[in-house]
């Protein structure tokens, strides 16, 4: 699989989490999606890891390729909640 496809596939867990946050307000379907998301995302991450291992990249670059959204998210968290005050915090990044 191409490298750019693997980079885009790393965004899928975040998109699923955002979708679940929107669906959680629905009575029956929201609860079902909430309880199934963990298993499905875990299976997807295992599949994505197998695809990265087939991409003939070294371990550090494969790890960075699949975890770059987490690095960006953690960096934004550190910036917003440790270096910015309450009055300058970006409300869009907060939710």
């Amino acid at each position: 699989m191409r490298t750019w496809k693997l980079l885009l596939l790393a965004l899928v867990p975040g998109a699923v989490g955002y979708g679940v946050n929107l669906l959680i307000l629905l009575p029956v379907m929201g609860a079902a999606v909430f309880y199934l998301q963990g298993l499905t995302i875990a299976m997807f991450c295992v599949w994505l890891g197998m695809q990265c291992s087939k991409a003939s990249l070294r371990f550090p670059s494969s790890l960075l390729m699949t975890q770059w959204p987490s690095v960006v998210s953690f960096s934004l968290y550190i910036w917003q909640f440790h270096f910015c005050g309450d009055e300058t915090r970006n409300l869009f990044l907060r939710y």
Side-chain angles (χ1 to χ4, degrees):
M1 193 176 284
R2 294 270 223 229
T3 304
W4 64 272
K5 286 182 183 178
L6 294 173
L7 288 171
L8 288 177
L9 283 172
L11 292 172
V12 169
V16 169
Y18 182 74
V20 168
N21 283 341
L22 293 176
L23 290 175
I24 199 71
L25 298 175
L26 299 175
V28 175
M29 187 167 59
V33 170
F34 177 76
Y35 288 115
L36 290 176
Q37 79 173 344
L39 180 62
T40 56
I41 292 300
M43 291 187 322
F44 176 78
C45 288
V46 168
W47 176 80
L48 185 61
M50 289 188 318
Q51 297 303 314
C52 285
S53 69
K54 294 177 186 176
S56 70
L57 296 170
R58 306 188 96 194
F59 176 73
S61 57
S62 292
L63 183 66
L64 185 61
M65 187 180 339
T66 57
Q67 297 301 317
W68 72 269
S70 299
V71 171
V72 170
S73 175
F74 186 68
S75 302
L76 286 172
Y77 164 75
I78 294 293
W79 171 54
Q80 283 291 300
F81 291 101
H82 293 285
F83 293 121
C84 290
D86 287 339
E87 63 279 350
T88 60
R89 191 169 293 151
N90 190 343
L91 293 178
F92 178 74
L93 295 175
R94 195 162 152 196
Y95 297 107

